Amino acid sequence: MIAILIAILILFALLGAPLFSIIIAAAMAGFYSSGIDLSVMAIELYRIADTPILLALPLFTFTGYILSESNTSKRLVRLTQAFFGWMPGGLAIVAFIVCALFTAFTGASGVTIVAMGALLYPALKQAGYKDKFSLGLVTTSGSLGLLLPPSLPLILYGVIAQQMGAGEEISIEKLFIAGILPALLMILLLSLWSIWANRKNSIPLITFSFKNALSASREAIWEIPLPIFVFTGIYSGIFAVSEAAAVTAMYVLIVEVFIYKEIQLSQLAAIIRESMVMVGGILLILGVSLGFTNFLIDAEVPMKLFEICQTFVTSKLFFLILLNIFLLILGAMLDIFSAIIIMVPLMLPIALKYGVDPVHLGIIFLANMQIGYFTPPVGMNLFIAGYRFNKPIIEIYKATIPFMLVLLLAVLIITYWPWLSLVFIS
């Protein structure tokens, strides 16, 4: 009977049934077959609603949507170009930094490609960078920043880990801190590669001008403090994560609506609706997934998986190798939110048994997912970039390969050098 039900659920999933309906059906079938009252699902949904840290999710999402609708992207490009344009490969470095910051706040890789690609792709070509290089840069940069606060995937991973009772050490604050150096490593390696790849091109540099830098700073003066709210506020203890999210959302709302006046009051209702639809989908999947997770734990599924793993995987090193391969494949198949919600409850207990720090696991998970965004055959960024720049998917594939190899090197360093993630929290 259970085998038939599983087959039916897989069929529905392949036919395009909503993810939450598949998960809740599987959870209810599991609880029913175990003789457990189905009211446990409602209890799980209430437990999610009663999680204080969850307040940060809709607030940061709203902040990201406001920023994506304004001209923040243009001001960030001008600001970073004014300060870094004089460097060899300066515009490429500008692109990496701006895309990372934009993705960190918007939390959506596709939004970064659409918003920043319109500015950066033609600018890179005009500056003398080859078309293939420019295309690959913009496509891969769309997922940079997932490890930087206030990244929504980082918050979501922390929420799930805390709900599983994996330990107080998996605080959102620690995840935010742990992601900084790995993210900087990725940007650094990509920048070095860009400089080397264009070493034979005569790309003109932008002479540093104090006047231009001051003008760009004045133009973005109201947006420069944004990272301060998150970094300084949280790490100094002045704000909790949810409080920092509220302050950031209110600040962005005032700046973009009343100071820059780039968003009309009449637009707010639509922006709120779009952002909350996204949040509602995440919360619904999260609630039913944690209910399903409880069933898996009751059925000792993670323990059984660990016992199977022990048969074939005898060391932590080998486990991490297989984990990276699996996550790269997973990232190409699922969006990051679904991957976190479905797989973290299964992976976290197994990783803990192999001695992997739970915070380090979160950074490894998201670093791999970041590459999965542009991994063939179904990486989301590949199709968004192809549509946005009107390019064949094969051309996008080829353009991203060098950047993918650089980021794979970064992932290996992040995975096998835990110090990089844990130095500031240990």
Side-chain angles (χ1 to χ4, degrees):
M1 179 65 181
I2 295 297
I4 295 174
L5 182 60
I6 292 173
I8 292 173
L9 291 176
I10 292 174
L11 177 62
F12 283 155
L14 294 175
L15 292 174
L19 180 61
F20 81 91
S21 63
I22 300 296
I23 296 173
I24 197 170
M28 292 175 70
F31 283 125
Y32 180 77
S33 64
S34 301
I36 299 174
D37 196 296
L38 295 183
S39 62
V40 69
M41 296 300 297
I43 294 171
E44 197 60 47
L45 286 171
Y46 173 77
R47 191 156 68 94
I48 282 292
D50 198 39
T51 304
I53 191 63
L54 210 61
L55 290 172
L57 197 62
L59 290 169
F60 278 132
T61 303
F62 174 66
T63 299
Y65 270 73
I66 288 283
L67 291 174
S68 65
E69 292 292 328
S70 68
N71 290 324
T72 297
S73 56
K74 294 180 181 179
R75 286 188 288 274
L76 282 177
V77 169
R78 188 187 172 200
L79 179 67
T80 50
Q81 194 166 4
F83 282 93
F84 299 103
W86 59 270
M87 300 172 61
L91 187 55
I93 296 172
V94 166
F96 293 131
I97 295 173
V98 170
C99 288
L101 291 174
F102 200 74
T103 300
F105 275 93
T106 60
S109 178
V111 173
T112 301
I113 291 178
V114 172
M116 306 304 297
L119 297 171
L120 294 171
Y121 181 56
L124 286 162
K125 291 177 64 178
Q126 187 177 357
Y129 292 90
K130 293 180 180 178
D131 182 70
K132 182 179 179 181
F133 175 86
S134 303
L135 190 62
L137 186 152
V138 175
T139 303
T140 53
S141 297
S143 58
L144 281 178
L146 291 178
L147 294 176
L148 290 173
S151 165
L152 298 182
L154 272 177
I155 295 173
L156 191 59
Y157 174 87
V159 169
I160 294 176
Q162 288 177 0
Q163 291 294 319
M164 292 183 66
E168 179 62 31
E169 66 272 13
I170 316 181
S171 66
I172 306 297
E173 291 86 349
K174 288 185 177 181
L175 284 167
F176 279 179
I177 296 172
I180 293 174
L181 287 183
L184 292 178
L185 173 68
M186 288 184 162
I187 295 172
L188 175 62
L189 292 181
L190 286 171
S191 299
L192 293 175
W193 154 252
S194 299
I195 293 170
W196 187 84
N198 293 282
R199 65 194 183 282
K200 296 180 181 179
N201 294 351
S202 55
I203 298 172
L205 303 180
I206 299 173
T207 304
F208 179 80
S209 165
F210 181 78
K211 181 180 179 181
N212 188 33
L214 184 61
S215 174
S217 298
R218 284 176 177 169
E219 186 178 341
I221 189 65
W222 293 103
E223 284 149 335
I224 291 174
L226 274 176
I228 298 174
F229 289 135
V230 179
F231 286 92
T232 308
I234 293 175
Y235 304 149
S236 65
I238 297 174
F239 299 134
V241 173
S242 55
E243 292 169 341
V247 171
T248 304
M250 178 58 70
Y251 180 84
V252 167
L253 181 65
I254 293 172
V255 166
E256 303 300 342
V257 175
F258 298 105
I259 297 178
Y260 287 125
K261 297 182 180 179
E262 293 171 349
I263 295 177
Q264 303 299 316
L265 286 171
S266 58
Q267 295 178 264
L268 283 180
I271 293 173
I272 292 172
R273 181 176 63 252
E274 290 176 15
S275 62
M276 292 308 108
V277 164
M278 177 181 174
V279 172
I282 293 173
L283 293 183
L284 184 58
I285 296 173
L286 178 59
V288 299
S289 293
L290 288 179
F292 186 57
T293 298
N294 278 348
F295 164 70
L296 295 177
I297 293 172
D298 289 342
E300 298 183 344
V301 172
M303 292 301 298
K304 292 174 182 176
L305 286 175
F306 175 66
E307 290 172 3
I308 295 173
C309 284
Q310 275 189 314
T311 306
F312 304 100
V313 183
T314 56
S315 69
K316 177 181 175 180
L317 179 65
F318 189 34
F319 169 75
L320 290 174
I321 292 172
L322 293 179
L323 179 65
N324 279 329
I325 295 171
F326 175 75
L327 290 176
L328 287 172
I329 297 171
L330 185 70
M333 305 292 289
L334 284 177
D335 71 272
I336 193 165
F337 297 111
S338 299
I340 292 171
I341 290 168
I342 295 171
M343 298 310 303
V344 169
L346 290 173
M347 290 183 176
L348 185 56
I350 298 173
L352 291 175
K353 293 290 185 181
Y354 278 100
V356 180
D357 186 279
V359 173
H360 186 213
L361 176 68
I363 303 304
I364 294 172
F365 194 103
L366 296 185
N368 279 278
M369 289 292 107
Q370 184 171 305
I371 299 178
Y373 264 118
F374 51 87
T375 301
V378 290
M380 185 190 306
N381 280 11
L382 298 170
F383 294 95
I384 294 175
Y387 175 79
R388 180 67 184 81
F389 305 121
N390 195 26
K391 299 285 186 179
I393 291 296
I394 296 298
E395 187 175 339
I396 305 287
Y397 285 171
K398 294 177 180 177
T400 57
I401 288 174
F403 298 91
M404 182 188 297
L405 295 175
V406 173
L407 287 175
L408 282 173
L409 173 61
V411 166
L412 290 175
I413 295 172
I414 291 167
T415 301
Y416 303 111
W417 192 25
W419 179 90
L420 194 67
S421 303
L422 305 177
V423 59
F424 293 127
I425 64 173
S426 56

